[in-house]
Amino acid sequence: MRTDWPGAIARHVILLTTAALVSVPFVWMVSLSVKSPGEIFRGSFSLLPRHWNLVENYGRALTASPLPKFMLNGVGICLAILVLQILVCAPAAYALAKLQFKGRNLLFGLVLIGLLIPHQVLALPQFIMGYQLGILNTYAALIFPFIVSPFGIFLMRQFFKTIPDDVVHAARLDGLSEFAIVWRVMVPMALPAIIAFSIFSVVSHWNDLFWPLIAVRSEEMMPPPLGIMTFKNEEAGSDYGPLMAASTLVVAPLIIAFLAAQRWFVEGLTGGAIK
C-alpha cells in the first residue's frame, strides 16, 4: 500500500499556513485587549504586554457602554432569525426536494439566483419597505428582512435529497401529512444540515454591521457590532484597549459555539454532496 507522503505534507503545510494567516488578526486583537495605551502605540512589536492591562480594559469594555445589553440583543435577534428561517426553509426545501409539481425547477432556479445577490443590494428597497411599514428602529426591522434564506433552502434541499424516497412513502402510508413528514421525519434526519446552517446564520447576523447601521438608531436595540462603535470618539480618538477587549468578548461566543459543533458542521456541509 503506497502512501502519498509528499502530497500529504504539502496539504498540511498549506492548511497550517492558511490557518496561521487567518488566526493572526484574532491573536493580535487579543494581544491589544490586554495592553495599556502606551504599549499599543509603541513602535516595537511585542505579542505579550510588559504590563498587563487586562482588568482595566475588560472592565471598561463592560461598563463604559452597555455591552451585556448589546450581546443580549444579539442573542435574541440571532435566535429569532434562526427559528423563523428554519420554519420557512425546511418546508420549502422539502417541497423542492421531494414533491413533484409544475415550476419546481423554476423555483429552485430563483433560489440559486437569490444566492448570487449580495444582501447589500437589497438594503435600499428593504429600508423603504421598513419605513412604509413603520418598523424602522425596532427589533422587527433587524429580524424580518432575513426570514427567507436562499442558502438555508439550498442546503436543506440538498440534504433532503440524500434521504431515500422510501422513507417519505412509508411516512405517508402511516398517515402523516406533508407538514408532519417535514417536522417529524425530515428535520430530525437532517439535523447535521440544520446545525451547519445554524452556525452560518448566527455568525452572519451576529457580525452584521451594515443593516443595523441603517435600520436602528436607539442604543437600546443595538446588536454587538454596532454597539462596540460607541467606543469611538471623534475628538479624543478611539479607546483601542477597551475596544479590542469588547471585540474579543463579542467574538468569543462564536468561536466556542463553532468548536463545540464542528463535527456536525462538517457533516452537514458534506452530507448534501453525497448521493
Side-chain angles (χ1 to χ4, degrees), residues 195-196 199 255-268:
I195 294 176
I199 293 175
I255 297 176
I256 295 172
F258 175 77
L259 292 177
Q262 60 178 325
R263 181 169 66 88
W264 295 279
F265 177 79
V266 174
E267 185 178 348

Side-chain angles (χ1 to χ4, degrees), residues 66 69-70 72-73 77 137 139 142 216-223:
K69 173 64 176 175
F70 298 149
L72 186 61
N73 287 341
I77 292 168
N137 203 35
Y139 289 115
L142 298 172
V216 297
R217 298 184 304 275
S218 173
E219 190 175 277
E220 289 294 318
M221 299 176 186
M222 289 182 177

